[in-house]
Amino acid sequence: NSKHTSDMDSSKIQGNIKAEVPVHSCRIRVGRSIDGFGLSPGITKEQRLGVEKLMKNAVKNFPADLAGQYYPLTGMKENVRQQLVDDHFLFVSGDRNLTVAGMERDWPEGRGIFHNAEKTFLIWVNEEDQLRIISMQKGGDVRGVFARLAKGIKAVGDSVYKESSKDFCLDPKYGYIHSCPTNLGTGMRASVHVDLPGWTAYGVDKLQARCEELHLQPRGTRGESGGQTGHTYDISNKHRLGYSEVQLVQKMIDGVNTLWEEDKKHQQAKQI
């Protein structure tokens, strides 16, 4: 009888990505759904606006380091929109998978983006999921990013409960409920953008096979359906279900350190 175990205790993480590894940035996200509101393929217009209203109030209760502003997509001023695009924070309509699943009905009403003053903590409201909670920063301090995420998820959960007496949708077996089944369990993707010139020279197909062994997923740096640019890769945990959050972050840290050690050997072999 399998049971989902959640663990957001960042003190259990062993080590971190080594300082020498050429990591540009780190980002960890989870999805969350609030009890009593539909998932995005079937959510009603009223429910979607209800989620947004709840979050507009909830974000006012955040602690100082997470405090910031909510930017609704409806009626967004051009200068605000452009700034969010420049920061790579804005999500846009037109994703074929979301459209065909009915997730972009009534666009852009009820959607928006929250971020803190430092731009290291974000919440997407009513994109693919009711909530996407995101922690990110430059450099390779994965442990620090995870600690902020844990604090942020708790702040969102506490604030939502204070406003509505509602909790996140959590199934004892399948974990946190999301719109897409691939996110069941933790709903967490912990990723870094890292340079791997040695692996690039050795072969991208070989890198993909190695990532598979390490329970990692390599992507191009342009997102899920984007392409590959140069030798910078987005490397993340492959699994969402069957492991705790701490275990998945640990796999990513250890895996990226391993890939870099191997990358140096490939660089020597290929005389890069």
Side-chain angles (χ1 to χ4, degrees):
N1 243 0
S2 59
K3 184 176 179 296
H4 176 71
T5 308
S6 183
D7 187 356
M8 295 295 297
D9 183 353
S10 62
S11 70
K12 293 180 185 171
I13 302 280
Q14 305 288 310
N16 211 338
I17 290 186
K18 292 175 181 155
E20 64 170 286
V21 184
V23 171
H24 298 254
S25 60
C26 171
R27 176 183 188 268
I28 310 179
R29 62 87 165 154
V30 298
R32 289 291 185 269
S33 305
I34 303 166
D35 269 338
F37 298 96
L39 302 181
S40 58
I43 194 171
T44 65
K45 187 174 176 178
E46 292 69 35
Q47 285 177 333
R48 198 184 297 110
L49 291 169
V51 171
E52 184 187 40
K53 185 169 181 239
L54 192 53
M55 290 311 297
K56 277 180 177 173
N57 290 324
V59 299
K60 294 171 185 168
N61 301 320
F62 288 172
D65 56 331
L66 301 179
Q69 194 172 342
Y70 177 72
Y71 302 92
L73 261 55
T74 308
M76 185 176 277
K77 290 192 171 68
E78 179 53 31
N79 61 325
V80 174
R81 193 195 71 80
Q82 192 55 53
Q83 184 62 55
L84 290 168
V85 167
D86 293 346
D87 288 329
H88 304 290
F89 291 173
L90 193 70
F91 57 87
V92 293
S93 63
D95 184 300
R96 285 282 307 128
N97 296 324
L98 300 191
T99 308
V100 85
M103 297 184 188
E104 297 196 348
R105 290 167 296 126
D106 312 307
W107 186 274
E109 200 170 29
R111 280 90 170 176
I113 295 161
F114 167 89
H115 69 72
N116 67 343
E118 286 78 34
K119 300 182 178 179
T120 54
F121 179 66
L122 281 77
I123 305 167
W124 285 357
V125 177
N126 289 319
E127 189 238 8
E128 179 181 322
D129 285 301
Q130 291 173 22
L131 303 176
R132 282 283 171 98
I133 305 170
I134 305 161
S135 175
M136 60 199 277
Q137 67 190 47
K138 298 282 185 212
D141 181 12
V142 178
R143 194 173 172 167
V145 170
F146 183 60
R148 185 191 307 110
L149 180 74
K151 184 177 180 180
I153 293 170
K154 186 177 185 317
V156 174
D158 290 350
S159 299
V160 165
Y161 191 81
K162 188 178 165 188
E163 286 292 321
S164 65
S165 302
K166 292 181 189 297
D167 285 314
F168 294 138
C169 300
L170 178 60
D171 181 271
K173 184 174 181 181
Y174 298 113
Y176 290 99
I177 303 300
H178 293 68
S179 296
C180 182
T182 61
N183 281 316
L184 286 174
T186 61
M188 189 184 78
R189 190 170 103 84
S191 64
V192 292
H193 283 185
V194 58
D195 292 341
L196 297 172
W199 274 107
T200 305
Y202 187 54
V204 174
D205 54 334
K206 295 189 180 83
L207 171 61
Q208 285 180 314
R210 182 65 179 125
C211 284
E212 190 72 28
E213 293 171 357
L214 295 167
H215 292 178
L216 300 176
Q217 182 183 41
R219 294 180 180 178
T221 50
R222 290 184 182 149
E224 193 166 8
S225 43
Q228 178 49 34
T229 49
H231 55 227
T232 307
Y233 299 85
D234 176 305
I235 306 286
S236 63
N237 55 294
K238 185 183 178 195
H239 301 99
R240 310 276 181 268
L241 184 65
Y243 301 90
S244 74
E245 292 85 352
V246 164
Q247 287 173 313
L248 292 176
V249 170
Q250 192 69 57
K251 274 177 194 262
M252 192 271 274
I253 289 173
D254 296 345
V256 169
N257 283 332
T258 299
L259 285 174
W260 177 245
E261 286 305 315
E262 294 165 351
D263 194 274
K264 288 188 290 190
K265 288 172 188 156
H266 293 317
Q267 285 182 50
Q268 283 174 335
K270 298 283 180 184
Q271 297 177 326
I272 295 172

